[in-house]
């Protein structure tokens, strides 16, 4: 039962992450100048990657892979906007 809840949460996280990444990609194509494009790519793609990593955390359960994914997500969160 709890595995089904984690599966549903992971699929929702993946869908939200893909939506954010596609929205950021659309922003790269449609926005007028370089600074707007950088802002779109930095903010939206960081959120998309975070949701995709969150979905992978739900799929991996409690393991060493979860700790590694948390470290990867933290690194992306702090380094991507730079």
């Amino acid at each position: 039962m709890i595995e089904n809840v984690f599966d549903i949460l992971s699929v929702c996280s993946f869908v939200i992450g893909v939506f954010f990444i596609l929205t950021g990609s659309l922003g790269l194509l449609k926005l007028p100048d370089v600074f707007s494009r950088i802002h779109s790519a930095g903010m939206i793609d960081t959120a998309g990657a975070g949701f995709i990593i969150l979905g992978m955390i739900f799929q991996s359960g409690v393991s060493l892979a979860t700790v590694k994914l948390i470290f990867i997500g933290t690194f992306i969160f702090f380094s991507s906007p730079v």
Side-chain angles (χ1 to χ4, degrees):
M1 178 67 184
I2 194 77
E3 294 171 0
N4 292 335
V5 173
F6 283 143
D7 287 340
I8 291 169
L9 287 174
S10 66
V11 167
C12 290
S13 294
F14 287 140
V15 168
I16 292 170
V18 167
F19 173 75
F20 279 150
I21 289 176
L22 288 176
T23 304
S25 300
L26 194 71
L28 284 174
L29 295 174
K30 293 291 182 181
L31 290 174
D33 60 346
V34 172
F35 297 113
S36 297
R37 291 179 187 149
I38 290 173
H39 180 71
S40 170
M43 297 297 120
I44 299 297
D45 289 345
T46 302
F51 276 109
I52 289 175
I53 289 173
L54 182 66
M56 287 190 282
I57 287 172
F58 285 136
Q59 284 293 314
S60 67
V62 179
S63 65
L64 182 62
T66 304
V67 176
K68 291 177 183 179
L69 286 168
I70 290 171
F71 282 135
I72 291 169
T74 304
F75 178 73
I76 288 174
F77 178 75
F78 285 115
S79 66
S80 182
V82 173

